[in-house]
Amino acid sequence: MDDNTVATLAYVILFAPVVAAILITLFTRKSKGISAFLSVGSVVTGGILSVILLFDQLAKGPGTPPVISQFEWAAARDSAIGDIVLNIGVQVDFISILMSTIVGVVGSCIFVYALGYMKGDEGWSRFFAKFAFFAFSMLGITYATNFVQIFIFWELVGVSSYLLIGYFYQKPSATDAGKKAFMTNRIGDFGMTLGILLLFFAVRDVFGAVDGFSFVELQRIFTDEASRTLLFDAMGWKAGLGAFLIFVGAMGKSAQFPLHVWLPDAMEGPTPVSALMHAATMVAAGVYMIVRCYWLFAWAESAMIAIAWIGGITALMAATIAVVQNDIKKILAYSTLSQLGYMVMACGMWGAGAGMFHLATHAFFKALLFMGAGSVIHACHTNDIWEMGGLAKKMKHTTWTFIAGTLALAGIFPLAGFWSKDEILSASHHIAPLYWIGVGVAFLTAFYMGRCVFTAFFGKYRGDGHPHESPAVMWVPLAILAIFAIFGGWVGAPADLNPFGEHGLQSYLLVAYTTVAEGAHQQVINWPTGQGHMAKSLHMNVAVIGTLVAVAGLFVSYLFYGSRKFSAEKAKKMFGPIYTLVSNKYYIDEFYLFLVKKVQQGFANLCSIVEQHIIIGIFVNGLAGGAREAGDKFRKMQTGRVNTYVTMILGGLTLLVFLFVVGKEFWG
Amino acid sequence: MEIHIAHYLIVAGILFSIGLVGVVVRRNAIVVLMCLELMLNAANLVFVAFARMHGNMQGRIFVFFAITVAAAEAAVMLAIIIAVYRQRETVNTDDMDIMQG
Amino acid sequence: MEPIFHDLLAAGGGHAVAFYACSAVTIAAAILMVMKKNPVASVMWLVLSFIGLAGIYVTLQSYFIAVIQVLVYAGAIMVLFLFVIMLLNLRREDIAKMELPKVPFAGVIAAILFFVSVFLVIKASTPAFEKPVDALLGEPALAGDSVRAIGIPLFSQWLLPFEITSVLLLAAIVGAVALTKKKL
């Protein structure tokens, strides 16, 4: 395919959902069938076109230069300070196509699934319009050519996320969760704004007329050693700060500690929303952005270390919380947090390829798990795993797909999660504490997923409903995703195990984010740690340890919740204070509440007192009141009679004469 | 008994003060106007006295103009008083208070 | 006629007598003008005051100004006042009601102004000021024809102001008519 076709297809993928959303909102709200057709159709089209683009890209081989098509959106031209031009367009390269494929394929499955899940909901058309709008926002991030565009769509993702979390707007908890997500994201976005501007002005100061927003231009600067050194010398410590601030945006979207608090609450939205946004795509935007701007992060070592540690902390913290949750969606939400922490941790240790790979596999199996959970919730009418049990006999399709997702997430050979987790653990090998955190998280992941599966699907049914299998429109997407979850990992396997040999996913990824796009002059960069090449073969010790801890996690969970050899109650008592701490999510929400309620509210009260009594009391009302009082008194002087005025004039004249003449005589 | 310019000036001062008191005290607009004329004449007297002292014509010519202007002024003022009287049926300055604050 | 005045004033003490007599008349008439409640009486006393003032002008050898004073002020302007008073035809009770004593305040102001001016007069000292009026040199032209003496500068040096005065008078006439006429 030539470049024009590629760009056109990308535009179609990008704009089809928004066109659908607009049509639904304006014209077809009443007719549910057309609304659903438009919405699902736009995303399925996007998915199919993305797959076509992906195959085209694969056929062209690794290192194909990006296709960029953009138009000027807004410009401030000034000869004195230089032009600032904002562009909107599409940048089509391997990373964006991969992300768009994930969004398209996972999104298609979830959209179809939503047809069953949302059946009978009165907001049907509204839901599908918002859903399509979300897909548009996410694809906008995916295909962004510059920082301004990515930021605009970043915000649009925030808006659509807000709309969808608060979809059940009659429920106060849902609207609260929406607001919480939006505000938490705003904190991250603010950091991102600052980072983008810092970088833009630094680049302009050093290089003049270069477009400091454009990814390609920036990539050119950062990958060339001479210009990079020039820029870093000029920026000094601000380089690391700028990279970190941009990462703060990713912290908000990808729910990294300490901005992770919104994600578990976001489960208030309908389950397809949780599956699409808070598991597969939107939360992946942060990781995607890190990979997209990897040329920036890779050289800011201090920022990288911070990123790695934040990822590690998030992964561990969320995994421990997931262990004590009883709500099936909350378990998966914390699991998502934990896995996102994993990806970020990998990115922070120069393993962007591993992070992106895990993002891809995770999108499939986590969407699967969420939709499976949705199917279970649909059947049992409860979220509590203790009110389920024995579902394996009643919901065969849901059960096997859910188990497939669980094993993939746990990282059991040879399912998808195994390969990406192995990549991550290999990448983190050189920072020992983070490596062991990664291993611990792998264990915990297997454990909490095992707990969930053994409790919900095996044993005796403990609820009081009559659970039954969901309709085909819901379980078929599950099956499709399950196939990806089982076999999808092979494409990213190390060369000697990869069915594509040397041309595995990693070879494309590495080249895509490490090369400078300049025609024939392509140059593979060695990152500071010397990583950046596709693994030739499996790191045996990493793979073995990873698999062992995963199996151990599942086995321990079997002992607790399957065979009930050990009592979970006793373990709870044994861990007493730690259990309390973890089950209260480390009191982070309480801490934020304290910050808002006591610190911020206290400060606001103080401001209020100052405002009420000093500013309004003395300055505003005091001055106005004084003026009014004075006016009341002085208006009496205006008798309107000529005599009074004459008297006053003469009084004044006399005084003046007296002062000028007599005063001058006596006081010189 | 020698008469100095100072004597004239003091007479002018007395006349001016009488006029002033009249302007302030009287409520009849016409009388107020007459008191103003008196004050004007006090000023004229000063001009003439100094013209005499310096022995030239300037001061006298000035008085000539002042008398002319005073005549014009008196005519206009009286016209105003008549207009006001037509409107409000009064020439009492205390009743002319629509500008009261 | 002028030299006659001249001689009379120059005759021993004549000047002083004339000055004091005229001043007394002027001031007394002015006081009465302010004090009379009836505006017609006020006008009459004002006429007398202006005639006295004309006498003072004569003692200053300003014969022409004295004549103008009598003609314009005591004659024309005062007739105008009288005419307006008659025209408005105010009733007695209205006149009585108008008088509200505000004397103390006005008196204080007037007294201050008066004493300040007296103070200034006493303080002033220039050679010319020291001399009695009789000892001051009369203007050469004055001895002959004072109308001529005032006429020549008026129509040469002061011609433009003189002409502007005529415009002023015209404006005053138009203004007075416009103000008083009921329908234009």
Side-chain angles (χ1 to χ4, degrees):
Chain A
M1 267 194 277
D2 61 74
D3 286 0
N4 266 334
T5 322
V6 169
T8 313
L9 285 184
Y11 277 123
V12 172
I13 295 169
L14 175 57
F15 284 107
V18 75
V19 170
I22 291 169
L23 287 178
I24 293 169
T25 314
L26 293 182
F27 303 115
T28 70
R29 288 170 67 146
K30 291 272 156 35
S31 39
K32 292 186 170 187
I34 302 176
S35 301
F37 172 76
L38 281 172
S39 180
V40 176
S42 69
V43 174
V44 171
T45 311
I48 292 168
L49 293 179
S50 300
V51 171
I52 293 172
L53 279 179
L54 184 66
F55 279 113
D56 173 60
Q57 194 75 15
L58 291 173
K60 284 174 183 164
T64 313
V67 175
I68 293 167
S69 156
Q70 58 185 11
F71 58 89
E72 190 182 304
W73 172 55
R77 298 192 195 284
D78 189 316
S79 54
I81 58 164
D83 297 351
I84 298 177
V85 179
L86 307 181
N87 294 307
I88 295 270
V90 289
Q91 174 170 352
V92 191
D93 55 14
F94 187 76
I95 300 174
S96 58
I97 291 174
L98 180 65
M99 191 69 198
S100 143
T101 309
I102 294 168
V103 174
V105 172
V106 177
S108 298
C109 291
I110 296 171
F111 268 60
V112 172
Y113 171 90
L115 289 175
Y117 190 88
M118 299 304 287
K119 190 155 232 134
D121 194 276
E122 53 193 46
W124 172 281
S125 293
R126 181 164 61 93
F127 176 82
F128 278 100
K130 287 176 180 176
F131 223 37
F133 182 64
F134 165 75
F136 164 67
S137 315
M138 189 64 212
L139 289 165
I141 292 180
T142 306
Y143 284 113
T145 62
N146 57 64
F147 269 124
V148 174
Q149 189 185 354
I150 206 171
F151 184 75
I152 291 168
F153 284 96
W154 202 258
E155 295 294 314
L156 285 180
V157 164
V159 171
S160 42
S161 153
Y162 165 78
L163 290 171
L164 284 166
I165 295 168
Y167 174 74
F168 297 123
Y169 59 85
Q170 299 92 339
K171 257 167 76 184
S173 60
T175 52
D176 286 350
K179 280 183 267 182
K180 188 172 178 181
F182 196 74
M183 287 180 199
T184 316
N185 268 301
R186 285 300 314 151
I187 298 172
D189 298 343
F190 183 63
M192 190 176 168
T193 320
L194 293 180
I196 291 170
L197 291 177
L198 185 67
L199 189 64
F200 173 77
F201 285 111
V203 167
R204 209 175 59 167
D205 283 348
V206 178
F207 300 103
V210 173
D211 179 3
F213 291 131
S214 161
F215 290 146
V216 180
E217 296 286 339
L218 286 172
Q219 185 174 11
R220 193 168 290 141
I221 289 167
F222 275 94
T223 36
D224 176 55
E225 181 146 13
S227 59
R228 182 178 66 235
T229 316
L230 202 62
L231 184 65
F232 274 35
D233 284 349
M235 285 179 87
W237 57 271
K238 285 190 211 146
L241 179 70
F244 186 77
L245 282 172
I246 292 175
F247 170 68
V248 169
M251 269 164 77
K253 275 284 174 294
S254 284
Q256 295 300 299
F257 173 84
L259 299 181
H260 64 277
V261 290
W262 65 271
L263 205 154
D265 288 26
M267 295 304 138
E268 287 290 344
T271 303
V273 171
S274 308
L276 178 61
M277 309 173 68
H278 309 123
T281 57
M282 166 182 163
V283 289
V287 178
Y288 173 75
M289 201 259 292
I290 297 175
V291 176
R292 171 98 279 181
C293 314
Y294 207 61
W295 28 261
L296 163 64
F297 291 104
W299 302 106
E301 279 192 57
S302 50
M304 284 298 262
I305 302 299
I307 291 170
W309 275 101
I310 286 172
I313 290 169
T314 310
L316 185 62
M317 183 200 67
T320 52
I321 297 174
V323 170
V324 298
Q325 293 295 313
N326 295 324
D327 181 328
I328 189 166
K329 280 180 78 179
K330 286 275 165 76
I331 294 175
L332 294 175
Y334 281 105
S335 163
T336 305
L337 271 182
S338 170
Q339 297 302 308
L340 287 166
Y342 235 56
M343 298 172 209
V344 170
M345 182 176 85
C347 292
M349 287 182 292
W350 289 274
M356 192 66 198
F357 181 30
H358 195 57
L359 189 164
T361 57
H362 175 260
F364 287 101
F365 58 66
K366 189 49 70 62
L368 165 63
L369 287 171
F370 260 107
M371 282 153 67
S375 177
V376 168
I377 293 165
H378 202 68
C380 300
H381 301 289
T382 178
N383 285 11
D384 194 335
I385 54 171
W386 299 105
E387 291 175 23
M388 300 169 186
L391 298 177
K393 286 167 212 145
K394 291 166 179 153
M395 308 173 69
K396 288 206 166 55
H397 298 298
T398 306
T399 306
W400 77 259
T401 50
F402 198 89
I403 288 173
T406 302
L407 294 179
L409 173 57
I412 302 296
F413 181 83
L415 279 74
F418 167 77
W419 302 106
S420 52
K421 189 168 288 183
D422 181 58
E423 286 285 334
I424 287 178
L425 290 177
S426 314
S428 58
H429 208 62
H430 69 280
I431 298 183
L434 284 175
Y435 174 70
W436 290 111
I437 285 178
V439 172
V441 170
F443 173 81
L444 286 169
T445 307
F447 178 76
Y448 64 67
M449 284 316 295
R451 170 176 177 264
C452 177
V453 167
F454 288 126
T455 309
F457 291 93
F458 296 101
K460 266 200 218 149
Y461 181 60
R462 289 175 296 272
D464 39 69
H466 299 284
H468 51 85
E469 184 55 275
S470 303
V473 69
M474 282 171 74
W475 70 257
V476 169
L478 287 180
I480 295 170
L481 287 175
I483 291 165
F484 277 109
I486 294 168
F487 302 109
W490 286 103
V491 298
D496 54 357
L497 291 174
N498 200 310
F500 303 104
E502 293 284 335
H503 301 292
L505 176 75
Q506 295 292 36
S507 63
Y508 284 88
L509 267 180
L510 286 167
V511 174
Y513 69 76
T514 53
T515 51
V516 194
E518 281 216 82
H521 302 286
Q522 289 182 4
Q523 166 196 12
V524 177
I525 308 292
N526 278 318
W527 300 120
T529 52
Q531 295 185 3
H533 293 286
M534 185 183 174
K536 288 272 180 285
S537 58
L538 213 54
H539 300 269
M540 274 322 285
N541 47 355
V542 172
V544 168
I545 288 173
T547 313
L548 277 182
V549 294
V551 172
L554 286 175
F555 183 65
V556 172
S557 72
Y558 173 73
L559 292 180
F560 272 109
Y561 302 100
S563 70
R564 300 191 174 268
K565 274 237 157 54
F566 299 149
S567 161
E569 291 303 316
K570 273 186 191 162
K572 249 184 220 176
K573 285 199 185 101
M574 216 168 80
F575 285 106
I578 298 175
Y579 176 79
T580 318
L581 181 70
V582 173
S583 63
N584 283 301
K585 307 163 207 159
Y586 297 94
Y587 295 101
I588 289 170
D589 272 322
E590 280 72 15
F591 175 68
Y592 286 165
L593 204 62
F594 166 79
L595 276 186
V596 172
K597 259 193 172 166
K598 293 278 146 54
V599 179
Q600 185 210 318
Q601 194 60 34
F603 183 68
N605 283 341
L606 187 72
C607 291
S608 169
I609 289 168
V610 170
E611 197 241 355
Q612 288 292 331
H613 292 101
I614 297 179
I615 294 176
I616 290 185
I618 295 177
F619 289 105
V620 179
N621 284 347
L623 285 180
R628 196 174 53 227
E629 287 296 308
D632 257 2
K633 296 279 179 289
F634 280 120
R635 67 190 277 270
K636 300 264 159 52
M637 287 168 69
Q638 298 290 335
T639 60
R641 293 186 196 118
V642 183
N643 289 72
T644 319
Y645 300 132
V646 172
T647 313
M648 282 174 188
I649 292 168
L650 293 176
L653 174 74
T654 311
L655 192 67
L656 280 180
V657 168
F658 189 82
L659 286 179
F660 277 117
V661 175
V662 183
K664 197 177 168 191
E665 286 299 328
F666 286 109
W667 301 295
Chain B
M1 271 215 314
E2 286 176 326
I3 306 301
H4 292 252
I5 292 298
H7 290 78
Y8 290 93
L9 297 184
I10 287 165
V11 170
I14 291 167
L15 285 179
F16 187 88
S17 302
I18 292 166
L20 180 60
V21 172
V23 167
V24 176
V25 169
R26 297 302 300 253
R27 292 291 178 269
N28 189 325
I30 300 168
V31 180
V32 169
L33 200 49
M34 297 190 319
C35 294
L36 278 178
E37 296 291 343
L38 189 66
M39 285 161 79
L40 211 57
N41 273 281
N44 283 353
L45 178 57
V46 175
F47 274 114
V48 175
F50 279 117
R52 173 77 183 88
M53 185 176 99
H54 293 297
N56 63 20
M57 289 324 278
Q58 316 282 20
R60 291 173 179 126
I61 289 172
F62 208 98
V63 169
F64 175 80
F65 285 128
I67 289 170
T68 320
V69 172
E73 173 229 328
V76 174
M77 292 268 257
L78 287 167
I80 290 171
I81 286 169
I82 288 168
V84 170
Y85 183 78
R86 245 186 225 145
Q87 282 283 317
R88 306 181 60 88
E89 295 279 317
T90 182
V91 289
N92 187 339
T93 52
D94 278 352
D95 294 337
M96 304 176 189
D97 60 354
I98 53 167
M99 295 273 280
Q100 186 173 16
Chain C
M1 182 177 141
E2 286 158 5
I4 303 169
F5 275 118
H6 218 92
D7 297 340
L8 273 174
L9 290 174
H15 189 160
V17 173
F19 171 75
Y20 283 119
C22 290
S23 297
V25 169
T26 309
I27 291 166
I31 290 169
L32 283 166
M33 182 273 286
V34 174
M35 285 172 66
K36 284 289 171 189
K37 283 189 175 174
N38 190 341
V40 179
S42 287
V43 174
M44 290 308 165
W45 286 115
L46 190 60
V47 170
L48 184 63
S49 179
F50 284 166
I51 290 170
L53 202 57
I56 295 176
Y57 290 153
V58 169
T59 64
L60 286 167
Q61 300 185 355
S62 303
Y63 310 110
F64 181 73
I65 297 298
V67 173
I68 296 284
Q69 174 79 6
V70 174
L71 282 181
V72 178
Y73 262 123
I77 297 182
M78 287 308 116
V79 167
L80 194 61
F81 271 93
L82 212 51
F83 184 74
V84 171
I85 291 163
M86 302 295 191
L87 184 74
L88 298 182
N89 194 20
L90 297 170
R91 283 164 306 191
R92 247 196 130 63
E93 58 267 36
D94 289 340
I95 295 164
K97 218 163 54 183
M98 281 180 211
E99 307 311 327
L100 291 166
K102 226 183 189 182
V103 182
F105 182 64
V108 169
I109 290 176
I112 290 172
L113 271 182
F114 175 68
F115 285 113
V116 166
S117 56
V118 169
F119 172 79
L120 281 177
V121 169
I122 294 165
K123 281 288 290 182
S125 59
T126 58
F129 208 76
E130 300 290 318
K131 286 184 188 168
V133 174
D134 292 337
L136 290 167
L137 282 176
E139 256 168 271
L142 277 179
D145 188 349
S146 83
V147 179
R148 185 188 165 82
I150 205 165
I152 287 172
L154 193 61
F155 291 108
S156 56
Q157 193 183 351
W158 303 97
L159 183 63
L160 186 65
F162 181 81
E163 292 301 337
I164 290 173
T165 314
S166 64
V167 177
L168 176 76
L169 283 171
L170 179 67
I173 291 164
V174 173
V177 171
L179 274 169
T180 47
K181 197 152 166 58
K182 274 179 188 165
K183 270 189 217 158
L184 283 172

